[in-house]
Each structure stands twice: as structure tokens, then as C-alpha cells.
């Protein structure tokens, strides 16, 4: 059964250090929308372009023409869809919280979830990103890499939904180490446990990995 030891091994393997995150909550929301279905570089470029051309406040984005937003984030892919979401979430936030999101600091985790619930395009992953990266809370956001890697390693059932994966990981990771675990799993997913062809032959946790055990049993694929 996998636990903290495997994640600790990944932390050592990739020399992951506890990051100090203080991303503005609104920026975290916009970054997460921009990160959907694209790579980190294009997502970063789209964010910087949008910030430079339109601005990075709810007021600036709510009053901007949706076509201008789309044009600014074109390099990030799905730009029409993302532009509409960005404008909508900015408009909603401006109405709901005209004084901004600084008040989130004062709220507990569940209160933050309630405060951001119902915003178009803001799901549980986005809220967890705000909790972890903006408010320094001890949660594990489950992105595409964390989801794939944790299921392959055996922390969660392959069919588990967002909440089940997150709870399984958080149960395995000691308090205070969850953001570290998040980055270790992402790094492992990018460098070794790749989506299409995981490099199991050079993986430090293959001895306990469910996917590796099954692929060995089938005698096919799964290894570099
Ligand atoms: S053994 Fe393969 S599938 Fe399992 S965690 Fe390592 S790279 Fe991923």
C-alpha cells in the first residue's frame, strides 16, 4: 500500500523544496482558467499578455471587450471560451465582492469554498489552488498530473473523482507537507510518469506502483 514514503521519495528524487506562494487570489483564478488544456509556457504567455494589454483586476477585465480578451490570450488555446469565462467571472466578482478578495484571508477553508462557489468556471480545483497558492492553506490541488500519477501509484481508484483523489492524498501526507507533495507529484508527472509513455524503468517508486505491477503482469508497455 502506498503512503507518505513514496511521496517523500519523489521529493528527494527531484529535490523539491517547500515553495513560498503568495499569488493574488484573483490572479490565481485567472491563471487557472488560462491553464486549461494548454502547456505551462503558453499559459504563462497568455497571462502576461492579458495583464499587459487589458490589466489584471476584475474591473479591467469586466469592462473589456470579450474580443480584446480573446485576442490577448490567443496563444493559450481555447481563447474564445476562456475569454468568455474570464469576463464572466470578473463581472460576477465585481458584483459579489466589489472591495476585492482580500477578505478571504480571514475565512476558514470551508468558508472560502462557500465564498467562491457558484462562480462560472470556478470548480473545486480552482478553489483549492486559491487556498494553497494565495492563502497558504494546507491542501493538495489535484491537477491533471497529480490526478494521473496518484491513480497510477495506487493512492486512488482509477475512476475516482476530484474529491476522492484529493482526500486520499491528503490522508497520506502529513500536515504541513501538502503543497510540497503537490509539487513532487507534478514534477514526477512531467519528468517520469508521463501521460502517454511513463518511464517506469527509471522510476524511484515502481516497486510499489499499481500501474507498474499490472503492466508487468500483462507483460506489455508501461516501461521505458
Ligand atoms: S512506475 Fe511507472 S506508472 Fe508507476 S509511478 Fe513510476 S513512472 Fe508512473
Amino acid at each position: 500500500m502506498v503512503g507518505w514514503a513514496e511521496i517523500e521519495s519523489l521529493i528527494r528524487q527531484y529535490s523539491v523544496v517547500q515553495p513560498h506562494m503568495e499569488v493574488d487570489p484573483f490572479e490565481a483564478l485567472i491563471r487557472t482558467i488560462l491553464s486549461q488544456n494548454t502547456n505551462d509556457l503558453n499559459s504563462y504567455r497568455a497571462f502576461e499578455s492579458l495583464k499587459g494589454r487589458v490589466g489584471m483586476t476584475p474591473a479591467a477585465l469586466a469592462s473589456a471587450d470579450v474580443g480584446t480578451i480573446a485576442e490577448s490570450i490567443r496563444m493559450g488555446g481555447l481563447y474564445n471560451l476562456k475569454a468568455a469565462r474570464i469576463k464572466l467571472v470578473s463581472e460576477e466578482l465585481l458584483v459579489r465582492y466589489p472591495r476585492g478578495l482580500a477578505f478571504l484571508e480571514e475565512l476558514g477553508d470551508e468558508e472560502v469554498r462557500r465564498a467562491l462557489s457558484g462562480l462560472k468556471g470556478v470548480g473545486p480545483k480552482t478553489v483549492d489552488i486559491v487556498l494553497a497558492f494565495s492563502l497558504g492553506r494546507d491542501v493538495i490541488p489535484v491537477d491533471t498530473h497529480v490526478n494521473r500519477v496518484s491513480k497510477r501509484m495506487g493512492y486512488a481508484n482509477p475512476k475516482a473523482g476530484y474529491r476522492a483523489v484529493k482526500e486520499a492524498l491528503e490522508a497520506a501526507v502529513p500536515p504541513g507537507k501538502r503543497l510540497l507533495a503537490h509539487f513532487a507529484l507534478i514534477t514526477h508527472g512531467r519528468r517520469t510518469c508521463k501521460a502517454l509513455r511513463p518511464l517506469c524503468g527509471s522510476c524511484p517508486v515502481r516497486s510499489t506502483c499499481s500501474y507498474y505491477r499490472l503492466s508487468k503482469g500483462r507483460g506489455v508497455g508501461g516501461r521505458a
Side-chain angles (χ1 to χ4, degrees):
M1 188 179 165
V2 284
W4 171 235
E6 284 75 12
I7 293 177
E8 243 188 333
S9 165
L10 298 178
I11 291 169
R12 279 196 305 275
Q13 171 81 6
Y14 303 113
S15 304
V16 181
V17 293
Q18 180 83 28
H20 181 67
M21 308 293 289
E22 275 187 5
V23 182
D24 172 81
F26 180 69
E27 287 196 9
L29 291 175
I30 301 301
R31 281 185 191 278
T32 309
I33 292 172
L34 289 173
S35 72
Q36 289 155 7
N37 296 95
T38 192
N39 61 40
D40 292 347
L41 181 60
N42 286 341
S43 171
Y44 171 80
R45 284 179 176 152
F47 179 85
E48 291 301 319
S49 166
L50 184 62
K51 190 173 183 175
R53 289 179 66 174
V54 180
M56 195 47 65
T57 63
L61 289 164
S63 61
D65 178 72
V66 73
T68 305
I69 298 175
E71 198 50 44
S72 305
I73 62 171
R74 180 178 275 268
M75 66 293 282
L78 299 178
Y79 50 91
N80 285 324
L81 181 72
K82 291 177 184 177
R85 279 189 187 155
I86 287 170
K87 185 168 171 67
L88 202 56
V89 81
S90 302
E91 288 171 346
E92 286 184 356
L93 281 173
L94 206 53
V95 171
R96 232 196 251 194
Y97 306 120
R99 293 185 182 173
L101 295 175
F103 73 98
L104 294 176
E105 291 273 5
E106 310 299 324
L107 305 184
D109 292 0
E110 290 312 312
E111 291 172 308
V112 172
R113 291 184 201 288
R114 280 196 291 277
L116 297 179
S117 73
L119 290 168
K120 289 277 189 310
V122 176
K125 181 185 84 174
T126 307
V127 175
D128 282 337
I129 285 172
V130 171
L131 282 166
F133 297 170
S134 301
L135 306 175
R137 307 297 169 82
D138 199 24
V139 299
I140 301 183
V142 180
D143 77 344
T144 183
H145 296 295
V146 174
N147 183 54
R148 179 182 71 255
V149 170
S150 58
K151 286 178 178 177
R152 282 178 176 169
M153 288 175 73
Y155 289 98
N157 183 293
K159 291 185 178 165
Y162 182 91
R163 193 181 177 91
V165 174
K166 175 180 140 65
E167 287 178 354
L169 285 172
E170 289 183 354
V173 175
K177 302 286 186 189
R178 289 172 176 165
L179 200 50
L180 199 57
H182 168 83
F183 281 108
L185 291 165
I186 285 184
T187 307
H188 187 51
R190 285 182 180 145
R191 296 196 197 168
T192 307
C193 194
K194 300 174 186 230
L196 293 182
R197 194 162 183 267
L199 306 175
C200 303
S202 55
C203 177
V205 294
R206 67 180 179 275
S207 64
T208 55
C209 173
S210 301
Y211 179 98
Y212 184 69
R213 198 165 47 241
L214 286 172
S215 68
K216 264 176 74 178
R218 288 197 302 267
V220 291
R223 280 163 286 158

